[in-house]
Amino acid sequence: MRTFSDMVGDRWTLALTLPAIRRIKAALDVDLLEVIEGKHLDRLTRDIGFLCDVIYLLCKPEADARNLSAEQFGERIAGDVIDAAAAALAGAITDFFPKAQRPVVERLSAIANQAMERAADAALERLDPERVETAMRQAIEQVLAGSPAPAPRTSGDSSTTASACSDLKPAS
């Protein structure tokens, strides 16, 4: 079992078990057993909302015992806590599989983390400070002139639109 502490200091235990896998599958239509095939690791590393939903579902029995809803749990998960919870999840996933399969899961997890780091580096390289500053000045000028500010532009990537620990509903 792996643990992490939330933003208020409460400690949570992550253990990947068959009931937890079934709970995740029922709520998110995702079979975490497929990580051994390389599935879902990419989404877990790039989609914070999905990651937090999986973590909540693993912690759901503890959350229920503490009378915390998914939303209340989500309010306690941000920043460094996400990193700690993700590390605990990676460990819990690895611990679930038999010893002979663990190196495969560990390697897949390392590859997913490297890909996430490369994507973040590439995003930083694409940032053009002059373009960002110009866009900010234009938005401020529009607001000061009484025009509504333009809506923020997103890439359409689920990581920019997902809300962590959203109201979970079983998949239909």
Side-chain angles (χ1 to χ4, degrees):
M1 288 191 262
R2 305 296 177 117
T3 62
F4 71 95
S5 295
D6 64 22
M7 291 172 28
V8 299
D10 286 346
R11 196 154 192 79
W12 297 89
T13 302
L14 290 181
L16 191 61
T17 62
L18 286 176
I21 289 168
R22 290 182 183 120
R23 193 167 46 247
I24 292 165
K25 185 165 175 109
L28 302 175
D29 196 28
V30 170
D31 185 353
L32 280 187
L33 290 176
E34 295 175 331
V35 298
I36 195 71
E37 301 164 11
K39 295 180 181 176
H40 313 302
L41 288 172
D42 177 57
R43 187 171 177 199
L44 285 166
T45 59
R46 68 173 169 74
D47 185 340
I48 293 173
F50 175 68
L51 172 68
C52 288
D53 286 345
V54 169
I55 291 167
Y56 168 73
L57 289 165
L58 287 174
C59 294
K60 188 170 181 353
E62 281 183 272
D64 289 348
R66 296 176 191 188
N67 294 316
L68 289 177
S69 68
E71 184 176 342
Q72 291 168 322
F73 180 85
E75 292 290 330
R76 297 169 167 227
I77 308 294
D80 292 343
V81 173
I82 293 173
D83 290 334
L89 175 61
I93 291 171
T94 302
D95 292 347
F96 174 81
F97 286 94
K99 192 174 187 178
Q101 292 178 320
R102 288 180 192 163
V104 174
V105 176
E106 289 169 343
R107 180 69 180 130
L108 289 167
S109 181
I111 290 168
N113 286 332
Q114 289 169 355
M116 183 177 66
E117 289 172 9
R118 283 194 300 270
D121 290 344
L124 284 172
E125 288 176 11
R126 286 192 304 269
L127 285 179
D128 177 1
E130 289 180 27
R131 187 174 58 98
V132 172
E133 184 178 345
T134 300
M136 289 176 64
R137 286 181 194 268
Q138 288 173 349
I140 290 168
E141 289 171 7
Q142 285 180 343
V143 170
L144 292 176
S147 301
R153 293 172 46 173
T154 64
S155 66
D157 178 17
S158 62
S159 63
T160 61
T161 58
S163 62
C165 297
S166 57
D167 290 331
L168 296 171
K169 296 181 179 91
S172 37

